[in-house]
Amino acid sequence: MNRELFAELEERVLAPYAMRSRNTRGRRHPEEEHSFRLPFQRDRDRIIHCSAFRRLEAKTQVFVDSEGDYYRTRLTHTMEVAQITRTLARALQLNEDLAEAVALVHDLGHPPFGHAGERQLDELLAEHGGFDHNAHCLRIVDELERRYPTFPGLNLTHEVREGIAKHAPPYDRPLAGAFDPGLAPPLEIQIVDCADEIAYTAHDIDDGIKSRMLDAEALASVELWRVCLDTARARCDRAAEPILIYQAIRALIDLLVRDVLERTTQALQCIQTIAEVRQTGKPLVGFRPETGAMLAALKSFLAENLYAHPRVLRMTRKAQRVLRCLFRAYLREPRQMPAHVARRCADEPVVRVVADYIAGMTDRFAVSEYEKLYDPRVRA
């Protein structure tokens, strides 16, 4: 098959409000089309093969690398988001290639140590525009990745880049300035935000119970989780507790995905075109109010009992100290960074070069660099 046949297949199977590959606004730098791969397929492949994507394997989701090998990393989280995104896209007859590409790229800009690392970099860069992982993600795909001889970055399509800038509402934030600020993004982008929320809620419960930072009995007092436990018990009442927990997590994901599909299908009853999707200026994809309230209560429980757990907070403090010390050391003497990075300081602000370098580190590499700089027993 060739590209045109695949494009015709999209016309036949996609909903009228879905994004067609042939309607893409294109790339920043002109390129010839591939003979049989559509534009969003190529974006997906470029993201998977870039170095920033591989480094997600050793970047914190909630638990840092030293906590063990069984917990989610930023990469496995991304894969779970992509899986849920594909399910939603197919059920709603949306463009799976575009949705998957946006899901795979959505966390590419995260620095080491998760949200704690982002907060620390934002504080360090307060006088220089701050740090936002979505904005940094755009820098990665537009400038920092070097794969092609005639242009910087990955040269992704306008729509995937819009998905980075409009990952969540409001859609008129400064980052959306080049992407029709105020207009809602395509539905393929909107579903990623919900898939992200479903994925991290489910797997943080799994990891929290496995780490024994979450008390399973206390968690059962939360309505949404209790409903899912009851569903799991109905399926396998005599199963061992680890199996029961896994089945409850399955039930949670299924419940939330079904809820998004039901609510979104209702919201789309009067929508016929992608232009109408954009003109709403707000998300059409989401949870029903009652489900959203139960989910909010569950997330509040996780915030109080997992994300603020003493073990997590201790590692947060350590991570912030590592990043502060690295930032100050490189800022004082940029030549302590690799030569190819330090050379950028001749043409760019040193503070931004340092921030880019640190944001690209994995947890392990950041700790290793910290030890080389500050522990006299470690060889530089």
Side-chain angles (χ1 to χ4, degrees), residues 269-290:
Q269 287 181 351
C270 298
I271 300 293
Q272 289 298 317
T273 67
I274 191 170
E276 292 174 357
V277 170
R278 288 187 173 280
Q279 289 297 329
T280 61
K282 60 183 180 181
L284 290 166
V285 178
F287 304 100
R288 292 179 301 163
E290 56 270 31

Side-chain angles (χ1 to χ4, degrees), residues 367-380:
V367 171
S368 173
E369 288 297 288
Y370 173 84
E371 290 173 343
K372 289 176 182 178
L373 285 167
Y374 292 99
D375 190 338
R377 297 168 295 181
V378 178
R379 295 183 62 183

Side-chain angles (χ1 to χ4, degrees), residues 21 34 52 80 83 104 113 126 155 181 248 268 299:
S21 297
H34 193 271
E80 292 182 36
Q83 174 261 319
L104 290 171
F113 308 119
N155 202 28
L268 292 173
K299 289 168 62 178

Side-chain angles (χ1 to χ4, degrees), residues 168-189:
Y171 300 131
D172 58 354
R173 62 186 65 189
L175 187 60
F179 303 95
D180 299 318
L183 295 185
L187 294 167
E188 288 84 355
I189 293 170

Side-chain angles (χ1 to χ4, degrees), residues 40 107 171 224 278 320 334 350:
F40 303 135
D107 268 357
Y171 300 131
L224 181 56
R278 288 187 173 280
Q320 290 173 332
V350 176

Side-chain angles (χ1 to χ4, degrees), residues 213-355:
M213 291 189 200
L214 280 181
D215 183 287
E217 290 187 11
L219 182 60
S221 67
V222 182
E223 182 181 7
L224 181 56
W225 179 246
R226 188 169 62 251
V227 168
C228 296
L229 270 178
D230 290 343
T231 301
R233 289 193 180 102
R235 291 174 179 167
C236 48
D237 186 38
R238 298 183 180 180
E241 184 174 1
I243 293 176
L244 186 66
I245 294 299
Y246 176 72
Q247 292 300 319
I249 290 168
R250 283 187 62 205
L252 175 63
I253 295 172
D254 187 63
L255 183 155
L256 293 175
V257 167
R258 289 177 184 275
D259 190 88
V260 169
L261 290 175
E262 181 179 331
R263 190 266 185 184
T264 304
T265 300
Q266 292 174 347
L268 292 173
Q269 287 181 351
C270 298
I271 300 293
Q272 289 298 317
T273 67
I274 191 170
E276 292 174 357
V277 170
R278 288 187 173 280
Q279 289 297 329
T280 61
K282 60 183 180 181
L284 290 166
V285 178
F287 304 100
R288 292 179 301 163
E290 56 270 31
T291 304
M294 288 194 296
L295 179 58
L298 178 56
K299 289 168 62 178
S300 178
F301 181 92
L302 294 177
E304 183 176 344
N305 295 277
L306 178 61
Y307 309 140
H309 190 281
R311 276 170 58 185
V312 174
L313 292 179
R314 280 199 299 269
M315 184 49 66
T316 293
R317 300 292 180 264
K318 294 177 185 178
Q320 290 173 332
R321 182 173 66 248
V322 167
L323 295 192
R324 278 197 307 271
C325 292
L326 290 179
F327 186 85
R328 291 165 182 168
Y330 296 143
L331 203 59
R332 282 195 306 267
E333 182 45 79
R335 287 178 297 180
Q336 293 186 101
M337 296 185 293
H340 73 280
V341 177
R343 280 196 293 269
R344 288 177 48 201
C345 296
D347 303 310
E348 303 175 53
V350 176
V351 67
R352 186 52 60 181
V353 175
V354 170

